[in-house]
Amino acid sequence: MSKRGVLTVISGFSGAGKGTLMKKLVEKYQYGLSVSATTRTPREGEVHGREYFFLSREEFEQMIDRKELIEWAEYVGNYYGTPKTYVEEQLAQGKDVILEIEIQGALQVRDIFPEASLVFVTPPTAKELRERLVSRGTEDIAAIDKRMNRAIEESKFMPQYDYIVINDKLEDCVEELHQLIEKEEQRQNSTNAPRETKDYKEFILKIQKELKELYA
Ligand code: 5GP
């Protein structure tokens, strides 16, 4: 039987360094990274078809109506969604595909592709998350506070993910993600035994507590 690619969905707190992580991961290991559609305006340096397909609300809604998206969500006033064709084609060709999407979308993907693994990437501590947002220097304190508050909400969904990956050192995190995908591929293409996941309860409770303490 020919090998089918595995689908990995990666989410994480905004500002946790996911963008850099994805870039490194696909550069080093040539995974297929799906390009999403969005209605938000491009940031400087972003190219249509590379970072996103930048669409009008009308165009996006047409894609919804035509069922051309695997999942979609509204996030901070804009639509974001994953086009179906690319993902389905790559998986059928045996290529592993990564979606870097927010939580509401990730949970929708699980309904459609129950075999997809859901990975949540997080900095080691809430303090570190805040420091990364501050050192990026792209947002003012009010915007940073908004992202931190969103992180409190997002942390409530962490227990629904299959894996939690701590993004402490970038290179280590890239390796951990790669190994996780490789293992998943072997599992899905052979025994299909249950996933070997760790118990993340303690870490989740710790970071939830830290986030709340920082913003109490
Ligand atoms: P940004 O505007 O910073 O590029 O992305 C904002 C959020 O949208 C990020 O959390 C990112 O993961 C998420 N996102 C990007 N593409 C998609 C998508 O196709 N679907 C969903 N549900 N979220 C997406």
Side-chain angles (χ1 to χ4, degrees), residues 66-81:
R66 293 189 195 130
K67 306 205 181 336
E68 289 169 0
L69 299 169
I70 291 176
E71 60 73 38
W72 62 273
E74 212 159 354
Y75 182 90
V76 216
N78 285 303
Y79 284 133
Y80 291 84

Side-chain angles (χ1 to χ4, degrees), residues 137-200:
T138 51
E139 271 128 323
D140 58 21
I141 293 297
I144 290 170
D145 286 353
K146 217 168 144 192
R147 282 179 187 255
M148 291 299 289
N149 271 308
R150 178 175 290 275
I152 294 179
E153 291 308 307
E154 289 173 344
S155 72
K156 293 178 186 159
F157 291 91
M158 287 170 80
Q160 298 193 45
Y161 280 71
D162 300 306
Y163 301 96
I164 306 282
V165 170
I166 299 170
N167 181 10
D168 192 358
K169 289 204 187 79
L170 182 66
E171 291 304 328
D172 292 351
C173 192
V174 167
E175 285 315 305
E176 192 176 341
L177 282 171
H178 171 60
Q179 274 161 28
L180 193 152
I181 298 169
E182 290 260 280
K183 249 188 155 171
E184 191 62 32
E185 191 184 276
Q186 282 165 16
R187 192 185 71 81
Q188 288 187 24
N189 281 292
S190 59
T191 58
N192 220 11
R195 278 195 183 103
E196 279 175 42
T197 64
K198 291 185 209 141
D199 185 359
Y200 302 107

Side-chain angles (χ1 to χ4, degrees), residues 12 18 36-37 40 43 46 52 71-73 75 80-82 100-102 105-106:
K18 257 177 311 159
S36 297
R40 84 148 161 74
R43 296 188 186 123
E46 286 184 334
Y52 283 104
E71 60 73 38
W72 62 273
Y75 182 90
Y80 291 84
T82 307
E100 191 260 282
I101 63 179
E102 53 70 64

